[in-house]
Amino acid sequence: PPHTFPPRPLPQEHLLLSVLPRYIAMELKGEVVKGLSGKLPGTDSGPNFHSLYIKQHRDVSILYADIVGFTSLASTCTPEELVLSTQVPLNKTSLFGRFLIFFCKKNECLRIKILGDCYYCVSGLPDPIPHHARNCVQMGLDMCTAINKLREATGVPISMRVGVHSGNVLCGVIGSLKWQYDVWSHDVTLANRMESGGLPGRVHITEETFVNLGGAYQVEEGNGASRDSALKGRRTFLVIDPHTQNKADKNKEIEINDLSDGDLEWRPSGVSESGSTDTLDSLQAAGQKTKKLNWLTLLFRDMNMEKQYRLSEVQGIHQSVVCLALIFTVIFVVQMLTSQKNLALAVSYGASFPVQLMILLVVSTGFLKQWSSKIPASVQWVSYLSQGVATKAVLRLLLVFTCLLITLLMAILNIVFIPGDNCLNFSHNATALDSLNLFTVPYYLYCCLVAMLGVVVFVRTSFSVKLFLLTLAVVVYLALFLGVYAPRSDCLVQQLYPNNSKPGVLKEPKIMAGIWLIIFYLTSLILARQDELACRVEFLLKKCFQKEREEMETTENVNRLLLQNLLPLHVTNFFIGKNVLNQDLYSQSCESVCVMFASVPDFKEFYTESSVNGDGLECLRFLNEIITDFDELLSKPKFNVIEKIKTIGTTYMAAAGLTNPTTGEERKDQDACKVHVRSMVDFAISLMARLDNINRHSFNDFKLRIGINHGPVIAGVIGAHKPQYDIWGNAVNVASRMDSTGVLDKIQVTEETAQVAQCVGYSVTKRGVINVKGKGELTTYFITIESSQRPVLWSASCGQRHVGSVLWAASCGQRPVGSVLWAASCGQRPVTTDEGLEDDHHCTVQQQMSYRL
């Protein structure tokens, strides 16, 4: 078989794009970067609304699907068995983590949430799709067909009930913790009603969806109003599955067992099948590359960068000085061997050698640092001389000029002391010419050429400096060889070629001197320019790499911060950097967890859609303030055992005991249960106090309805394409029923939870026996809340000015705002008071960042 490479590790950014659509992730990420680069939350001059990440989308279709029979199944199963039925394969298939991914991909639907046994998705998000209604209907038919085959294969008595409606939605995230992409609108509520008023195994659609289908499917009357009174006055339809009409066409039937693991591999939205990725932060956008260097002068176009380059430290300057010292030595040896032993040669090199040696010692003092402990303190400054040369541009330039000028000068200086200025007067006297030693003239030319190469060996020296020195040298050399000392070349020719014979041009010393000087001059300029270009490109690359590294570190920190607002920290660490397939998703059994559902039922009446409030957008802004205020309570140290799970419409779901905050010995189950129940009841009371405070400042009268229960649960991630953290178990279902059957401004608990609450100091009032859907008759209790237990809220966490409530009621057309100023019209919100705790100073910067988000 051909070699196959394993799936690449899942980085933070891909995990983030798996949970949130790209445009929402970009907006949230920009907010985090803005917060990190600016002031910390709470330092603003005035309070503003919390950021709202919600947008309106028109012409979409919403699908709700519910597993009929799941509630009764949950009552008879342990939490482990329940999760096995929804997450781990049943007969080589998994209900939510397997075939739903395939169907969503096939029908271009975006999964929104999984709420227990309820699944809902939207077609037409985030990009418009013309055939959104057909996509959702086909998705529903595929789900019904698949679950029927699952029932036949496993014998589990379950079926799928699907409702579809087409309209407009508001989509995004609310709150500051545990973001989950969600949709809101009356059309979403109607789609939910279409599901509850449907029939098992059938797709129930509204008239709006039927119109958008354009006759693609045959339908029959649905009579939804007979099963759900909320559908009264609406005409509904049941879609006729074309597969049931033509059973001979088996090629179109969906075989779950045919789904390969390759189709179900966890691939984030933003990663294509070919493996290419669309990252949130591309380091350089296409088409925006700009030239950083001037092609003629090689200067940076950005003068600030040019200044940084010139003042930056130069590494390895001692190597350049050593090379130049070798060149200087070669010139000395050549002149010493070819010239007469005259006093001028000794004096010139006797004066220049110490200077060159001193410069070489200065740039080499950096090696003394390794013996700094053995050097007397009074002379340790010597070891820092080389660093001063490397970092000080002026000192370095002075050193380079000194070295090169001495070398260029010594290459030609001693030719002045060679006799023969008027050799042409006795050019026919061979004996006299031989006594002048004119054969040494070409060797001075060679010394000049070698000295010109010495200019090139200095790295990180400005090209303009090298150009100046080379031009100065070649002008002087040409003047000497072609002008001042040209007669000596002519005499050398007569000495080599007597009897008036003429040598060729290539054997004429004077002409060849000019040619060689020009060639070496141009070659040296080319090499100097290449060196300058290489040094500047290297500097630019280092700057780019440094910037990219900082951006990558910032991106990693921002992504991790965002992910901690999407998934618990230990779950995020489980996924990042691992090759996670659907069969290996995270799950954990928790024995004693307290679960709370807190809802605001009155908000449904408060919510309206009109042009005045942006089709409900401003009402959701008010809900966002409420949820964000609730989220801020979780930063209190006393609530560190509580984990927010999600928000479901206007219902706030949290659980205590999913992680163990203690660092010492593990608590006993009974003690842990008491701690979790006490923390959750305290949190529920704080939520009610926080909502009371919002009501006072917005002239509203919202009340919370809270249900609490405790017991064993399974916490884990469901959904292989879009991981969603959730908890399952009978304890969760009962807690939800405690909320739905509860009373406004009351905390309803089960009998077992009431006993634990009494043990930790709370008094309870027996409500009596109530009928709970799917559970039968249960005895429930209310937590007695004393007025002293609902304090007035004063100071915000971490000392911030809290931005809890807003005067947004009038925009939703529900409640008057009296004489309260219309703060919202200016984009401002009133400063309110909120709860303060004695441990506020323990809040972290990361928690502060979550407030802004």
Side-chain angles (χ1 to χ4, degrees):
H3 177 73
T4 58
F5 293 96
R8 291 183 299 175
L10 191 66
Q12 293 177 348
E13 192 164 297
H14 294 171
L15 180 56
L16 178 62
L17 289 174
S18 298
V19 182
L20 294 175
R22 180 182 175 83
Y23 78 96
I24 290 287
M26 286 288 290
E27 192 172 355
L28 292 172
K29 194 169 184 180
E31 185 75 13
V32 177
V33 174
K34 180 181 177 181
L36 291 176
S37 60
K39 299 179 181 179
L40 283 176
T43 61
D44 295 337
S45 58
N48 295 315
F49 288 107
H50 290 108
S51 298
L52 185 66
Y53 307 103
I54 294 178
K55 292 184 178 181
Q56 186 180 47
H57 289 264
R58 299 184 180 276
D59 298 325
V60 301
S61 290
I62 309 105
L63 177 148
Y64 269 81
D66 185 74
I67 303 177
V68 180
F70 186 83
T71 303
S72 59
L73 178 66
S75 302
T76 59
C77 294
T78 65
E80 291 84 357
E81 294 171 341
L82 180 62
V83 174
L84 286 174
S85 67
T86 59
Q87 182 171 322
V88 181
L90 274 174
N91 192 24
K92 299 182 180 180
T93 63
S94 68
L95 190 55
F96 283 131
R98 200 167 181 83
F99 69 84
L100 292 182
I101 305 171
F102 176 76
F103 294 149
C104 276
K105 179 180 178 182
K106 170 189 172 185
N107 297 304
E108 299 180 287
C109 293
L110 177 65
R111 193 200 83 189
I112 304 300
K113 275 187 181 180
I114 298 175
L115 305 176
D117 59 340
C118 180
Y119 179 99
Y120 64 104
C121 62
V122 178
S123 181
L125 289 180
D127 300 320
I129 299 176
H131 47 278
H132 53 85
R134 278 178 285 172
N135 288 345
C136 277
V137 169
Q138 187 57 51
M139 174 83 176
L141 294 175
D142 291 343
M143 294 169 74
C144 292
T145 303
I147 206 166
N148 288 339
K149 292 183 175 296
L150 180 65
R151 182 180 64 249
E152 296 173 1
T154 62
V156 178
I158 54 176
S159 59
M160 188 71 77
R161 187 173 57 212
V162 179
V164 179
H165 172 60
S166 300
N168 307 323
V169 297
L170 295 167
C171 58
V173 296
I174 62 173
S176 61
L177 294 175
K178 299 301 178 292
W179 292 312
Q180 289 189 6
Y181 191 68
D182 208 345
V183 292
W184 302 267
S185 70
H186 288 320
D187 291 322
V188 174
T189 304
L190 180 56
N192 191 8
R193 288 294 187 179
M194 290 298 296
E195 175 271 314
S196 61
L199 294 175
R202 301 297 300 273
V203 178
H204 192 205
I205 65 174
T206 59
E207 190 171 5
E208 290 83 351
T209 303
F210 173 72
V211 172
N212 279 280
L213 286 177
Y217 294 88
Q218 293 186 8
V219 299
E220 59 185 1
E221 288 294 333
N223 299 318
S226 62
R227 294 177 294 275
D228 191 329
S229 59
L231 300 177
K232 186 176 181 181
R234 279 192 168 273
R235 188 182 181 189
T236 64
F237 304 90
L238 294 173
V239 178
I240 300 175
D241 190 347
H243 292 165
T244 59
Q245 283 187 316
N246 186 10
K247 295 184 179 180
D249 188 8
K250 295 184 179 181
N251 293 330
K252 294 184 180 180
E253 293 189 6
I254 302 171
E255 295 291 342
I256 301 179
N257 291 331
D258 292 339
L259 298 181
S260 63
D261 290 339
D263 294 329
L264 305 172
E265 178 183 329
W266 190 345
R267 183 180 297 117
S269 58
V271 181
S272 65
E273 294 185 26
S274 61
S276 62
T277 60
D278 295 327
T279 60
L280 292 179
D281 295 286
S282 89
L283 297 174
Q284 191 171 24
Q288 294 183 352
K289 296 182 179 179
T290 58
K291 293 181 179 180
K292 303 291 185 181
L293 294 173
N294 186 299
W295 69 272
L296 181 61
T297 62
L298 294 183
L299 298 178
F300 289 109
R301 297 182 184 273
D302 185 357
M303 296 308 298
N304 185 37
M305 183 172 292
E306 179 67 25
K307 183 179 179 180
Q308 293 179 20
Y309 172 76
R310 293 186 178 275
L311 298 179
S312 61
E313 182 178 355
V314 176
Q315 300 293 338
I317 191 172
H318 63 281
Q319 298 173 356
S320 299
V321 176
V322 170
C323 291
L324 189 64
L326 292 177
I327 291 175
F328 183 82
T329 304
V330 169
I331 294 174
F332 167 71
V333 172
V334 170
Q335 293 185 5
M336 183 184 67
L337 295 177
T338 59
S339 301
Q340 295 179 352
K341 309 301 186 293
N342 53 47
L343 179 61
L345 182 66
V347 172
S348 60
Y349 278 100
S352 58
F353 255 124
V355 178
Q356 294 283 48
L357 181 60
M358 181 62 67
I359 294 175
L360 179 61
L361 292 176
V362 168
V363 298
S364 302
T365 53
F367 295 103
L368 297 177
K369 288 185 179 180
Q370 52 187 330
W371 296 293
S372 59
S373 60
K374 300 179 181 180
I375 300 176
S378 59
V379 294
Q380 283 191 359
W381 58 271
V382 177
S383 61
Y384 294 97
L385 290 176
S386 63
Q387 183 178 359
V389 173
T391 55
K392 304 295 183 181
V394 176
L395 185 60
R396 185 170 64 247
L397 186 61
L398 178 62
L399 180 143
V400 170
F401 259 100
T402 303
C403 289
L404 291 177
L405 283 176
I406 290 175
T407 304
L408 292 171
L409 178 61
M410 294 307 298
I412 196 66
L413 178 63
N414 287 287
I415 196 174
V416 177
F417 305 106
I418 299 176
D421 292 338
N422 48 350
C423 63
L424 292 177
N425 296 334
F426 45 88
S427 59
H428 299 288
N429 189 345
T431 304
L433 292 177
D434 291 340
S435 64
L436 296 178
N437 295 325
L438 296 175
F439 67 89
T440 61
V441 174
Y443 289 99
Y444 279 95
L445 173 64
Y446 304 149
C447 291
C448 292
L449 298 179
V450 173
M452 291 176 65
L453 290 179
V455 178
V456 183
V457 301
F458 271 94
V459 295
R460 288 293 302 274
T461 301
S462 176
F463 176 72
S464 58
V465 174
K466 295 181 179 180
L467 176 63
F468 170 76
L469 291 174
L470 287 171
T471 304
L472 177 63
V474 76
V475 170
V476 172
Y477 292 160
L478 287 174
L480 292 176
F481 283 105
L482 301 182
V484 178
Y485 300 111
R488 301 186 184 186
S489 298
D490 296 335
C491 292
L492 178 61
V493 171
Q494 291 184 11
Q495 183 181 9
L496 297 176
Y497 303 97
N499 301 323
N500 295 323
S501 60
K502 296 294 184 181
V505 176
L506 297 179
K507 294 183 179 181
E508 176 66 44
K510 183 170 56 176
I511 297 177
M512 290 307 301
I515 293 175
W516 280 116
L517 285 172
I518 295 298
I519 291 175
F520 267 70
Y521 173 72
L522 296 177
T523 303
S524 299
L525 285 182
I526 293 174
L527 293 176
R529 184 179 175 85
Q530 289 297 109
D531 173 69
E532 176 81 356
L533 181 61
C535 291
R536 288 181 176 269
V537 170
E538 181 184 6
F539 175 80
L540 184 61
L541 287 176
K542 286 182 179 180
K543 283 292 183 181
C544 291
F545 290 155
Q546 181 181 359
K547 182 180 179 181
E548 291 173 3
R549 183 170 61 251
E550 292 174 354
E551 289 179 352
M552 290 175 64
E553 292 175 355
T554 301
T555 299
E556 181 179 357
N557 294 332
V558 169
N559 287 343
R560 182 171 289 275
L561 180 59
L562 288 175
L563 287 173
Q564 289 176 11
N565 274 315
L566 296 170
L567 299 171
L569 179 60
H570 60 284
V571 179
T572 301
N573 294 334
F574 174 82
F575 282 109
I576 291 177
K578 292 188 177 181
N579 300 320
V580 183
L581 298 180
N582 182 58
Q583 297 90 329
D584 305 320
L585 296 184
Y586 173 84
S587 64
Q588 180 185 17
S589 177
C590 304
E591 294 300 325
S592 180
V593 175
C594 188
V595 184
M596 181 204 72
F597 285 82
S599 59
V600 189
D602 292 341
F603 192 84
K604 294 180 181 179
E605 300 177 1
F606 181 81
Y607 179 84
T608 59
E609 295 180 0
S610 65
S611 58
V612 177
N613 63 14
D615 291 330
L617 180 63
E618 303 308 332
C619 293
L620 288 183
R621 191 184 300 276
F622 185 74
L623 177 62
N624 181 59
E625 300 300 324
I626 296 176
I627 299 301
T628 303
D629 286 359
F630 290 173
D631 289 341
E632 290 178 2
L633 288 174
L634 291 176
S635 64
K636 307 292 184 179
K638 65 183 294 185
F639 300 136
N640 62 350
V641 298
I642 300 177
E643 186 83 33
K644 177 185 176 182
I645 304 301
K646 58 187 172 184
T647 55
I648 311 164
T650 62
T651 301
Y652 193 94
M653 178 183 178
L658 297 176
T659 57
N660 186 9
T662 61
T663 56
E665 297 182 358
E666 294 185 0
R667 299 189 181 102
K668 295 181 180 179
D669 290 343
Q670 186 176 2
D671 294 337
C673 178
K674 293 179 180 179
V675 171
H676 300 159
V677 171
R678 180 175 57 196
S679 298
M680 188 57 75
V681 173
D682 287 345
F683 182 65
I685 295 174
S686 297
L687 292 182
M688 298 172 74
R690 182 62 61 92
L691 188 59
D692 287 343
N693 185 60
I694 294 175
N695 288 333
R696 284 197 302 271
H697 291 274
S698 62
F699 291 88
N700 280 301
D701 191 27
F702 291 120
K703 298 296 182 182
L704 278 177
R705 186 183 65 200
I706 301 176
I708 297 178
N709 185 35
H710 77 282
V713 302
I714 288 290
V717 171
I718 191 170
H721 183 65
K722 294 182 64 178
Q724 176 182 317
Y725 183 77
D726 210 340
I727 56 177
W728 301 272
N730 188 57
V732 179
N733 295 337
V734 173
S736 176
R737 299 304 183 192
M738 290 298 99
D739 166 36
S740 60
T741 61
V743 178
L744 287 179
D745 209 31
K746 296 288 185 180
I747 303 175
Q748 182 173 230
V749 298
T750 59
E751 186 173 6
E752 295 79 5
T753 305
Q755 294 174 357
V756 178
Q758 285 181 309
C759 292
V760 296
Y762 284 98
S763 59
V764 299
T765 302
K766 185 176 181 180
R767 180 186 183 184
V769 178
I770 62 172
N771 184 36
V772 177
K773 179 182 177 182
K775 307 298 178 183
E777 294 185 345
L778 295 178
T779 302
T780 63
Y781 294 78
F782 291 130
I783 300 292
T784 303
I785 305 174
E786 304 294 340
S787 58
S788 60
Q789 292 177 312
R790 295 176 66 166
V792 177
L793 308 179
W794 291 106
S795 60
S797 57
C798 300
Q800 299 187 93
R801 295 171 63 189
H802 179 55
V803 285
S805 56
V806 292
L807 305 180
W808 204 254
S811 67
C812 297
Q814 290 294 323
R815 304 176 188 273
V817 293
S819 60
V820 179
L821 297 178
W822 188 244
S825 64
C826 301
Q828 297 291 320
R829 51 180 295 168
V831 181
T832 66
T833 57
D834 70 347
E835 184 177 15
L837 291 174
E838 62 277 7
D839 294 328
D840 284 344
H841 62 278
H842 293 298
C843 296
T844 63
V845 175
Q846 179 179 341
Q847 291 168 339
Q848 294 183 35
M849 282 304 305
S850 68
Y851 298 155
R852 176 65 61 191
L853 300 175

